[in-house]
Amino acid sequence: DMVEVKTALVSVFDKTGLKELGEFLAARKVHVLSTGGTAAKLREYGCTVQDVAEYTGSPEILDGRVKTLHPKVHGGLLAARGNEKHQKDMATHGIRPIDLVIVNLYPFNEAVAAKPDDFPYCIENIDIGGPAMIRASAKNNAHVAICTSPSQYPKIMEEMKANGGCTRMAFRRNLAAAAYALTSSYDAAVSQWMATQVTEPPSTKTVSFEVERPLKYGCNPHQLPAGLCSVNGLKLPFEVVSGTPGYINLLDAVNAWQLVYELGKATGKPAAASFKHVSPAGAAIGVPLSDAEVGVYEVKGKPLTPVACAYVRARNADPMCSFGDFVAISSEVDVATANILKIEVSDGI
């Protein structure tokens, strides 16, 4: 279960957090295999670094397109420890077992965003060696820990500190799952872009979802876990300011907002809606209340602005169904409306 980290392979584009990680590996006397700029930085931080080209006996070639694609690298990643044949092959070919891999990828999406019409430039920013090392390390998670993001560095260091320089199987497996999610998302981005560059796009479409925040639950409380996701790296169209909504809350919010936006735009007056289970329990515009309505709606003596009137009318179209509703208002919520909102039971606004 425990694997001591004696050798680490580090090759990163994003060098965020590399100083702290490098100093940690140096203090642990971990032998580091690295390339190019990453190797130079790690030497600055006191690591014992061996260039991958020196280790493999093969120089970087083809303008850096081939540097880690070598049996001595992938053999060290894929070898099953304790497998007699694997051990013999490693000894025969001088392959060193690699216990920890720190890799992140060329920023392909950023490259496409910067030069969307420069096909050769975008092609050159498709990472090959990185995904190959990530997938190999993740496959061999019984023996290798794969780290794909600077955000994971603190966890790696904590894990090794807590376990005498070792990593646990459960920890490595969690890292492997994250690694495969990354390569899947990366390949999806490349595939989607490539499909826009050809005359016969493939029939298979891949979409990548990124969980931005957890949801309270799905359609019903037993449906867990649930998450609010962005698609293909796009920003969400709204921000959750407070609380943890459920899936139906979000559907109510989006549909209620569309209703009040169009209603307000069509009438030129503030509009409000009370939604439950993706249906309006009430919708109204901000016209004054009669004395009878003020009494029936129990808002006598309260300041009633046009926005407040719109909300009171919407909420009281069916007050029983509106209990625990999601509210949408087309205009900024003023103090008068807020004072009425705070006495009602609503899931959100």
Side-chain angles (χ1 to χ4, degrees):
D1 181 66
M2 291 286 191
V3 174
E4 183 179 359
V5 177
K6 297 178 181 179
T7 301
L9 173 58
V10 186
S11 180
V12 295
F13 184 91
D14 180 0
K15 294 177 176 56
T16 303
L18 190 60
K19 184 176 188 297
E20 295 78 6
L21 179 66
E23 290 174 345
F24 175 80
L25 296 176
R28 290 273 174 183
K29 294 183 170 45
V30 174
H31 184 84
V32 175
L33 300 172
S34 192
T35 59
T38 305
K41 283 290 183 185
L42 289 170
R43 287 190 179 99
E44 288 179 24
Y45 306 143
C47 288
T48 301
V49 179
Q50 183 179 16
D51 285 314
V52 166
E54 178 195 342
Y55 166 64
T56 61
S58 297
E60 295 184 14
I61 60 173
L62 307 179
D63 295 322
R65 283 190 173 194
V66 177
K67 49 190 174 184
T68 58
L69 296 167
H70 193 281
K72 289 188 73 172
V73 172
H74 285 270
L77 300 178
L78 288 165
R81 318 288 167 84
N83 181 304
E84 187 176 335
K85 187 176 185 308
H86 287 202
Q87 296 293 133
K88 184 178 178 181
D89 286 345
M90 292 175 74
T92 300
H93 298 287
I95 296 174
R96 185 178 192 130
I98 299 169
D99 313 298
L100 171 64
V101 177
I102 312 286
V103 175
N104 54 57
L105 305 176
Y106 298 164
F108 177 76
N109 283 330
E110 288 83 346
V112 172
K115 298 182 179 181
D117 300 320
D118 191 335
F119 185 83
Y121 175 79
C122 294
I123 284 290
E124 205 58 37
N125 277 275
I126 298 174
D127 202 324
I128 302 300
M133 289 189 290
I134 290 171
R135 289 175 62 83
S137 304
K139 176 175 179 174
N140 201 23
N141 62 80
H143 311 288
V144 183
I146 171 64
C147 177
T148 55
S149 168
S151 66
Q152 296 172 324
Y153 295 172
K155 292 179 181 178
I156 290 281
M157 293 186 282
E158 288 168 15
E159 174 76 4
M160 291 175 63
K161 283 178 186 175
N163 296 289
C166 299
T167 60
R168 294 167 297 122
M169 172 69 84
F171 179 76
R172 295 191 300 275
R173 194 166 289 176
N174 285 337
L175 291 177
Y180 279 127
L182 173 67
T183 56
S184 173
S185 174
Y186 193 84
D187 286 343
V190 174
S191 172
Q192 289 166 24
W193 170 77
M194 197 71 183
T196 68
Q197 306 296 309
V198 297
T199 56
E200 296 182 11
S203 59
T204 300
K205 308 292 182 184
T206 305
V207 179
S208 177
F209 295 93
E210 180 75 22
V211 178
E212 299 289 345
R213 60 180 295 133
L215 295 179
K216 190 187 300 179
Y217 47 76
C219 286
N220 296 292
H222 70 281
Q223 293 172 322
L224 290 168
L228 172 59
C229 302
S230 58
V231 180
N232 294 334
L234 299 175
K235 291 185 177 180
L236 293 173
F238 55 83
E239 179 184 354
V240 178
V241 177
S242 178
T244 303
Y247 174 66
I248 298 298
N249 290 148
L250 293 181
L251 294 182
D252 284 344
V254 170
N255 285 280
W257 168 250
Q258 291 181 87
L259 174 57
V260 298
Y261 174 79
E262 293 183 14
L263 190 55
K265 192 173 180 180
T267 63
K269 295 180 181 296
S274 168
F275 259 65
K276 280 289 291 289
H277 303 296
V278 206
S279 298
I285 57 175
V287 296
L289 300 176
S290 67
D291 290 342
E293 288 170 328
V294 166
V296 170
Y297 297 156
E298 299 179 346
V299 289
K300 190 172 183 179
K302 297 182 184 296
L304 292 172
T305 61
V307 178
C309 288
Y311 170 66
V312 169
R313 287 184 177 280
R315 174 80 186 198
N316 286 282
D318 189 339
M320 184 173 290
C321 284
S322 285
F323 186 87
D325 63 346
F326 215 96
V327 180
I329 297 177
S330 65
S331 307
E332 184 174 333
V333 174
D334 54 26
V335 173
T337 309
N339 281 329
I340 296 171
L341 275 165
K342 73 178 184 180
I343 63 175
E344 304 290 1
V345 177
S346 294
D347 275 2
I349 178 169

